[in-house]
């Protein structure tokens, strides 16, 4: 399939690039409910390394999905918030959540 001017073969590829992977959807899921600090995100997500969380947050910020606000305090406080554009991913995550609930139930029913 040919690549468009955007560099993507299709719009789904662009969505997966920006919001896909192991951690980005989970980060977005927790930020939908409001601003979170780094440590709070790390505790909520569980199992993610500090380095991975940092890299994923940077990529989401570069994509315009989240904003990072640093407060000049000691120790420094950093907060992450979904942008207005990032909030447009809420229906996508909601659909993923609904599908996941159905999938989990089907798996439990087979046991």
């Amino acid at each position: 399939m040919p690549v468009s001017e955007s560099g993507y073969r299709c719009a789904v590829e662009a969505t997966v690039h920006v919001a896909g992977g192991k951690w980005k959807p989970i980060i977005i899921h927790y930020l939908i409910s409001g601003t979170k600090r780094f440590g709070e995100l790390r505790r909520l997500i569980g199992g993610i390394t500090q380095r991975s969380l940092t890299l994923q947050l940077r990529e989401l910020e570069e994509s315009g999905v989240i904003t990072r606000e640093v407060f000049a305090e000691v120790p420094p406080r950093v907060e992450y918030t979904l942008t207005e554009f990032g909030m447009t991913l809420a229906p996508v995550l909601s659909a993923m959540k609904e599908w996941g609930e159905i999938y989990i139930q089907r798996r439990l029913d087979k046991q």
Side-chain angles (χ1 to χ4, degrees):
M1 181 174 226
V3 177
S4 70
E5 291 178 31
S6 68
Y8 298 108
R9 288 178 287 275
C10 71
V12 172
E13 184 179 359
T15 306
V16 170
H17 174 80
V18 172
K22 183 174 182 179
W23 302 114
K24 287 180 188 177
I26 299 168
I27 293 167
I28 295 165
H29 167 75
Y30 285 116
L31 289 176
I32 286 171
S33 64
T35 299
K36 304 282 185 287
R37 293 173 70 174
F38 184 89
E40 187 178 5
L41 279 171
R42 190 157 178 219
R43 278 189 301 280
L44 286 167
I45 295 168
I48 188 170
T49 65
Q50 182 171 333
R51 183 179 180 336
S52 289
L53 181 55
T54 299
L55 291 173
Q56 298 299 288
L57 288 167
R58 283 184 189 157
E59 288 178 15
L60 287 167
E61 186 179 11
E62 287 171 14
S63 298
V65 173
I66 66 169
T67 58
R68 177 180 185 262
E69 186 173 2
V70 181
F71 296 86
E73 301 173 350
V74 178
R77 177 171 50 116
V78 180
E79 293 182 344
Y80 297 91
T81 307
L82 279 181
T83 62
E84 190 175 323
F85 176 63
M87 284 301 286
T88 64
L89 287 165
V92 176
L93 271 285
S94 178
M96 289 174 70
K97 181 180 180 240
E98 288 176 30
W99 187 91
E101 289 168 349
I102 293 167
Y103 175 76
I104 290 167
Q105 190 57 53
R106 285 178 55 135
R107 297 275 309 222
L108 291 173
D109 291 344
K110 286 184 179 181
Q111 292 181 0

